[in-house]
Every structure is written in structure tokens, then in C-alpha cells.
Amino acid sequence: MTRAILSLGSNLGDRYVHLCTAVAGLGESVVLTSGVYETPPWGDTEQPPYLNAVVLVVDPAAAPRHWLDRARALESAAGRVRDPQRRFGPRTLDVDVIAVWQEDGGPVCQDDPELTLPHPRAHQRAFVLKPWLDLQPYAQLPGHGWVTDLLTANALAADVVALTPRPDLPLESES
């Protein structure tokens, strides 16, 4: 059994519907959903703002690769098109596997060309860390420490201020 933190983001089309559809597509594996935040684009700033959220998922039969396969299937169902010329460009849906833990509670650490765990840039992304903190106030990002400490680091201070909570857009799992 594994549990994982997945980050959801959308800035094309009906952003909220894309997030809701992703949560529904994860089905009974969703344990908790964060609040939704409107965030400025990261990396490539010439694009519309994002809606971002985080989900905690659990599946007794899932290996880490399973979460990546599910993430890609959700993105494909949302009509995501990957532009190799624009790595951090706009997208209908982005689902990132942030961290995975084994049944014994130990984190999965791997450096694979398709899936690096924990996510190699999660510690730099307030739009991942703040929603995660909504779910787990004592969260730790393997290899980087407490999420609260990462969020209060000077490098992320401006990014945290730029996050706008959207309580009018609740994400709920059906389980």
C-alpha cells in the first residue's frame, strides 16, 4: 500500500471543472482535498493564472509508478497537450506526484528519468506547499524538512503572499 501527495493545477478552459474532474477521477483513493488557491504562473509568466490544490491519496495496490500513470491519464482525459518548446506553459490540467510513502510509513526516494521522488522542485513551489499544509499541518517533504519551514523561507515569502484562497471553489472527494 502507498499513500501519496498529488498536486493539481489548471489554467486553461474551465479550471475549476478540471480540478473537480481530477478529484472525481481519483475516486475512492482520495482521502483529503485541500482548499483551492488562485496563483500566478510559475516559470513561464506569460500565461493565465492557475487554480491549484493538493490531494492525499491512498491505494492498497499502488506502487509509485501507479500514481504517475494515473496522473497522466487524468491529464490526457482533460485534453492536456504537452508543448516540448514550453516546459512550464499553460495546461488544462497538471497532476504532479509530489511524494509517496510506503505502507511502513517510509518515504519513497527515487531518481528515475520518468518519476523522481520526492518531486525535485516541490520545495520551491508555494502553490504546492501551502495547499499541502491545509491537509497536514505537520507535513514534511522528504529530504527537505517541515513544510511550514519551507513556506516561511525568504525565497518563498513573495510566492506565499501571491496565493489567493478560493473558498468559493470547494473540492470534495466522493468517498
Side-chain angles (χ1 to χ4, degrees):
M1 171 168 68
T2 62
R3 63 184 167 93
I5 292 291
L6 306 179
S7 174
L8 311 175
S10 175
N11 75 336
L12 292 179
D14 192 329
R15 303 172 302 164
Y16 179 56
V17 167
H18 290 306
L19 296 185
C20 291
T21 302
V23 171
L26 290 164
E28 293 181 2
S29 63
V30 176
V31 176
L32 293 170
T33 58
S34 74
V36 173
Y37 291 83
E38 188 148 18
T39 65
W42 190 89
D44 179 346
T45 58
E46 298 300 317
Q47 58 183 308
Y50 278 80
L51 289 181
N52 289 99
V54 167
V55 295
L56 172 64
V57 290
V58 173
D59 187 329
R65 176 61 194 220
H66 170 86
W67 296 118
L68 179 62
D69 292 342
R70 288 186 74 179
R72 288 182 175 168
L74 292 168
E75 291 173 347
S76 180
R80 177 171 177 177
V81 176
R82 293 184 185 272
D83 180 351
Q85 303 301 317
R86 202 167 178 196
R87 182 174 181 189
F88 298 114
R91 64 251 349 236
T92 53
L93 182 65
D94 185 40
V95 181
D96 284 335
V97 181
I98 302 303
V100 176
W101 292 266
Q102 300 167 21
E103 185 174 3
D104 66 6
V108 174
C109 295
Q110 67 182 42
D111 189 9
D112 180 275
E114 287 201 61
L115 180 61
T116 299
L117 291 171
H119 189 286
R121 290 170 298 283
H123 67 285
Q124 301 168 332
R125 295 178 172 177
F127 64 84
V128 170
L129 300 174
K130 176 60 179 123
W132 185 3
L133 208 56
D134 286 354
L135 301 181
Q136 297 179 311
Y138 300 103
Q140 292 185 56
L141 178 61
H144 295 281
W146 298 100
V147 171
T148 51
D149 291 344
L150 295 171
L151 276 173
T152 57
N154 287 336
L156 288 182
D159 292 344
V160 172
V161 171
L163 298 177
T164 304
R166 293 293 307 268
D168 57 314
L169 302 176
L171 282 182
E172 297 178 12
S173 66
E174 295 184 17
S175 55

